Amino acid sequence: MNSKILHLIGGGADIGTSRTFWIGFIIVVILFALYPIQVSEFRASNAAYYLLNIPLGLGMALLWGYCGVLSFGHVAYFGIAGYTYGIIAGNMVGNSFGLIAGVIGGLLASTLVAGVFAYFVFYARVREWIIPILTLVLTILLETFLGQTAGYQWRVGSVLLGGYNGMTGIPSIQIGSFVFMGYSFYYLCLIIVLVCYVALRMLLNSNFGQVVIAIREDPLRTEMFGYDIRARKWLVFVLSAVLASISGLLYVQWGNYITPSQVGLLSAALPVIWASVGGRSSLLAVIIATLILNWVNFTLSAQGNQYAMVIIGTALVITMLFFPRGIVVMTAEWIGKFTNRSNNEATH
Amino acid sequence: MKNTFILEARNVNKRFGGVIAANDVNLQVKPGELRCIIGPNGAGKSTLFSLLCGIQRVDSGEIFIHEHDVTHKQQFKRVRFGIGLTFQTNRTYQDLSVKRNLAIPNPSLAHSKSAHQQSKERMVMALKGFDLDPQDETRACELPHHKLQWLEIAMVLAGFPDLLLIDEPTAGMSRDETDRTVEILKQLNDHGLTIVVVEHDMHFVKSIAQKVTVLHQGRIFMEGNVADITANEDVKNIYLGHAH
């Protein structure tokens, strides 16, 4: 039983299966856990921002990298969850269930939208290359709608949607009187990221995940083994939307605001870039790329620098030209080959 | 009236624009048969297979598997009635290991649970005959062509069908490899598996078939045993390239 769980976590669905890898992984996790001790609360909070985007990136890896379906609009679910949380929690200020209701409501709302959308896309057997366009249209529609909600008439209960200025004063999550912010919010994000990563690795190493990979490799062949690939793609789409929602919920905790630009074209492109640069067929690669690119973006933007997007765009172009399977993935392949060769030489 | 066919097509028609791919096709396959379907290029052999499996839908006519009307069923549901298909172009999962290729098909989706033990024995037989190791971590794309064809047959058998449709299994194989394929398919057939093969190679057809169906321009031209078919002048004219 125990070995079965270990096999699910450590199986070959992601890069890194050796003992050395796992020792390194644990060391890195410990370093991340120790990081806040070294730095100010402000910097820990910035690091939390890099972490909170990771579930969104993992959702892209799951859907695009492992199932072969590209969504260019997953930020829509990020936004729906964030806005819904803001509306519910904002209306229930003072009620101890308000924040939990906001989290559940946010997840439910984006799951519902993703479920209906994906039903029409997959059960109508829409062609693969149309899906990115449809998803992009959905998120731009959402941005356009939210953008025109300035004014007092656009309020839900006591919460203003706020047009392009966005929704402000969104309450942070708390347990009793303990509010997650600064250091504690960093740890909340770190734990959520770890749980998402391990759970996804287990899912992808399970039979379900193996069939998802088979669908990516050859949908018709997989269907001719008796699998209802529509149902599986639907489920994977919804699951990745839930991951995007988790990021959305964490984002509104972090900044206590959300604006329509979070679901706009630029934001929509970012998760696709993280997945491409890291290597979409690996969860860990996407995590690394998400962390680094967000750090670059955030650091440059915080200095009032306008070049952040130019640099990230350049990273994308370099990746597509020289690292078609992603920088992290191809580096890992190279390391794998190198260690294999030296192992072989050692045995000869 | 109860029919006793494992696979039956009744008056099946299919057009693609002006091309008639299936013209009033009636095909009946009994349990335990090993049938070859032959015909020149464009005769509609592969189209017939995709109509039977549901990859394409018939314009008119009916299709039965195990006496169930599956005419309006989606392809994955037809597979669950115990039908298995290999494609004309090899469709193993090239980037996955042999082990994982063989682990993808799910026996629990198969229709007939009663034949489970028999199916398992067939699977063992095929793996042994085709010299495939279910624990092999080699990536499929590193295998030679004939091994890939065999792997796809073994994968389909791993889903425990009792009816196997094979589309040109020996295309591109050497004579020895073809003979090996014939031998294994015969063994599987002796073990109760119904097999329908589309094939071009007359050597293959002569060494395997009990009964042969000749398709020509979407129509069933002739049906009979191998000797009769190969001796027939009309068949020679349309198919064997006007041999004299």
Side-chain angles (χ1 to χ4, degrees):
Chain A
M1 185 62 206
N2 250 339
S3 70
K4 201 172 176 187
I5 291 174
L6 282 178
H7 174 75
L8 278 177
I9 298 172
D14 195 4
I15 50 173
T17 49
S18 63
R19 178 177 289 270
T20 326
F21 167 81
W22 284 108
I23 292 169
F25 180 82
I26 289 166
I27 291 172
V28 171
V29 169
I30 291 170
L31 288 177
F32 267 94
L34 294 176
Y35 175 74
I37 297 169
Q38 320 287 328
V39 299
S40 67
E41 193 151 23
F42 173 72
R43 293 189 64 177
S45 172
N46 287 352
Y49 174 78
Y50 319 143
L51 289 174
L52 71 83
N53 282 294
I54 288 174
L56 176 60
L58 286 174
M60 284 309 297
L62 173 68
L63 183 64
W64 186 26
Y66 287 88
C67 194
V69 177
L70 171 58
S71 167
F72 219 95
H74 251 48
V75 283
Y77 308 107
F78 179 104
I80 290 169
Y83 269 94
T84 310
Y85 173 86
I87 290 167
I88 295 174
N91 276 302
M92 291 174 77
V93 172
N95 184 327
S96 52
F97 293 109
L99 302 163
I100 293 299
V103 170
I104 293 170
L107 287 175
L108 278 180
S110 62
T111 307
L112 188 72
V113 175
V116 172
F117 179 82
Y119 174 81
F120 286 113
V121 166
F122 295 123
Y123 280 74
R125 294 188 187 264
V126 166
R127 281 170 200 273
E128 293 278 288
W129 61 270
I130 299 181
I131 297 174
I133 301 171
L134 289 177
T135 50
L136 181 61
V137 166
L138 181 75
T139 199
I140 289 176
L141 271 177
L142 189 66
E143 186 201 17
T144 313
F145 167 75
L146 290 169
Q148 54 87 54
T149 56
Y152 192 63
Q153 71 275 27
W154 288 101
R155 66 184 189 281
V156 183
S158 59
V159 177
L160 291 169
L161 292 181
Y164 271 107
N165 293 327
M167 187 187 280
T168 52
I170 298 172
S172 289
I173 195 145
Q174 58 186 84
I175 295 173
S177 59
F178 179 76
V179 184
F180 282 98
M181 55 192 296
Y183 292 132
S184 58
F185 183 67
Y186 173 90
Y187 285 112
L188 178 69
C189 291
L190 186 62
I191 288 166
I192 287 175
V193 165
L194 269 177
V195 169
C196 286
Y197 174 66
V198 173
L200 277 176
R201 237 188 125 133
M202 289 174 77
L203 180 80
L204 289 165
N205 278 314
S206 72
N207 278 335
F208 177 87
Q210 294 296 305
V211 174
V212 168
I213 293 170
I215 290 173
R216 173 192 74 193
E217 292 290 311
D218 191 336
L220 181 60
R221 178 67 272 178
T222 310
E223 184 156 18
M224 292 313 290
F225 285 132
Y227 292 106
D228 187 353
I229 61 169
R230 304 166 308 172
R232 292 195 185 233
K233 283 181 175 177
W234 181 87
L235 194 58
V236 169
F237 191 95
V238 171
L239 204 57
S240 66
V242 168
L243 287 163
S245 312
I246 291 172
S247 282
L249 289 170
L250 289 173
Y251 177 77
V252 293
Q253 313 295 327
W254 176 78
N256 303 104
Y257 71 95
I258 186 167
T259 66
S261 67
Q262 286 300 323
V263 298
L265 185 58
L266 188 60
S267 307
L270 287 175
V272 181
I273 295 175
W274 306 335
S276 306
V277 171
R280 63 181 187 269
S281 60
S282 160
L283 299 170
L284 194 65
V286 174
I287 289 180
I288 294 169
T290 308
L291 269 176
I292 293 175
L293 291 178
N294 273 294
W295 171 73
V296 169
N297 186 8
F298 196 91
T299 311
L300 292 178
S301 308
Q303 292 166 356
N305 197 319
Q306 299 298 313
Y307 293 121
M309 283 302 146
V310 177
I311 289 170
I312 286 176
T314 312
L316 181 65
V317 171
I318 290 172
T319 303
M320 292 173 96
L321 285 176
F322 303 109
F323 302 92
R325 293 191 298 286
I327 294 176
V328 180
V329 166
M330 289 178 79
T331 309
E333 285 170 0
W334 183 76
I335 292 172
K337 258 183 208 156
F338 188 75
T339 48
N340 263 347
R341 192 180 303 155
S342 54
N343 281 349
N344 286 344
E345 276 164 11
T347 51
H348 281 300
Chain B
M1 197 185 86
K2 192 175 184 288
N3 73 50
T4 54
F5 301 117
I6 192 168
L7 175 69
E8 189 182 9
R10 285 189 201 155
N11 310 105
V12 165
N13 286 287
K14 179 73 182 178
R15 295 181 72 110
F16 298 106
V19 180
I20 301 170
N23 187 356
D24 212 27
V25 171
N26 282 286
L27 183 76
Q28 287 141 350
V29 181
K30 289 185 193 138
E33 255 193 72
L34 203 172
R35 173 83 62 101
C36 274
I37 297 178
I38 64 171
N41 280 328
K45 304 182 297 290
S46 295
T47 306
L48 181 61
F49 266 18
S50 47
L51 291 171
L52 292 171
C53 290
I55 296 169
Q56 280 158 347
R57 297 306 175 86
V58 297
D59 294 339
S60 66
E62 289 165 308
I63 290 162
F64 295 85
I65 300 172
H66 279 292
E67 301 165 33
H68 297 280
D69 183 355
V70 297
T71 315
H72 302 290
K73 290 242 189 297
Q74 303 249 10
Q75 56 256 48
F76 67 89
K77 287 193 176 143
R78 294 192 197 189
V79 173
R80 295 176 187 178
F81 282 106
I83 192 169
L85 170 78
T86 70
F87 290 87
Q88 190 174 0
T89 47
N90 189 272
R91 293 189 89 142
T92 48
Y93 303 111
Q94 299 280 316
D95 273 347
L96 308 187
S97 65
V98 171
K99 180 182 174 182
R100 281 171 67 190
N101 265 283
L102 287 166
I104 296 294
N106 184 353
S108 69
L109 294 174
H111 175 59
S112 58
K113 301 266 188 297
S114 58
H116 208 82
Q117 188 53 40
Q118 212 184 1
S119 303
K120 266 188 186 164
E121 287 164 19
R122 279 183 210 141
M123 183 66 193
V124 172
M125 195 183 275
L127 289 175
K128 195 162 166 257
F130 290 144
D131 196 19
L132 290 163
D133 175 8
Q135 300 303 321
D136 191 357
E137 295 282 1
T138 318
R139 290 205 308 168
C141 59
E142 290 166 24
L143 294 182
H145 172 74
H146 69 280
K147 257 312 191 27
L148 283 174
Q149 295 289 83
W150 290 347
L151 176 61
E152 192 172 0
I153 295 173
M155 283 162 74
V156 173
L157 288 175
F160 290 1
D162 41 24
L163 168 62
L164 187 59
L165 306 184
I166 317 184
D167 200 344
E168 297 204 22
T170 64
M173 281 191 191
S174 72
R175 187 54 72 92
D176 284 350
E177 290 152 7
T178 303
D179 289 341
R180 178 103 166 252
T181 313
V182 169
E183 191 189 319
I184 306 300
L185 289 179
K186 274 183 171 166
Q187 274 183 28
L188 291 167
N189 180 244
D190 288 342
H191 209 270
L193 183 70
T194 312
I195 303 177
V196 182
V197 195
V198 159
E199 192 44 89
H200 246 3
D201 179 6
M202 284 312 286
H203 168 73
F204 176 89
V205 174
K206 280 177 186 164
S207 48
I208 200 169
Q210 301 154 356
K211 192 173 172 186
V212 178
T213 301
V214 185
L215 272 181
H216 182 48
Q217 293 178 347
R219 194 184 265 285
I220 292 195
F221 185 76
M222 199 183 166
E223 218 165 62
N225 65 45
V226 192
D228 291 346
I229 296 286
T230 46
N232 186 288
E233 283 301 319
D234 293 330
V235 173
K236 280 184 187 167
N237 279 336
I238 63 159
Y239 182 65
L240 302 175
H242 309 279
H244 293 291

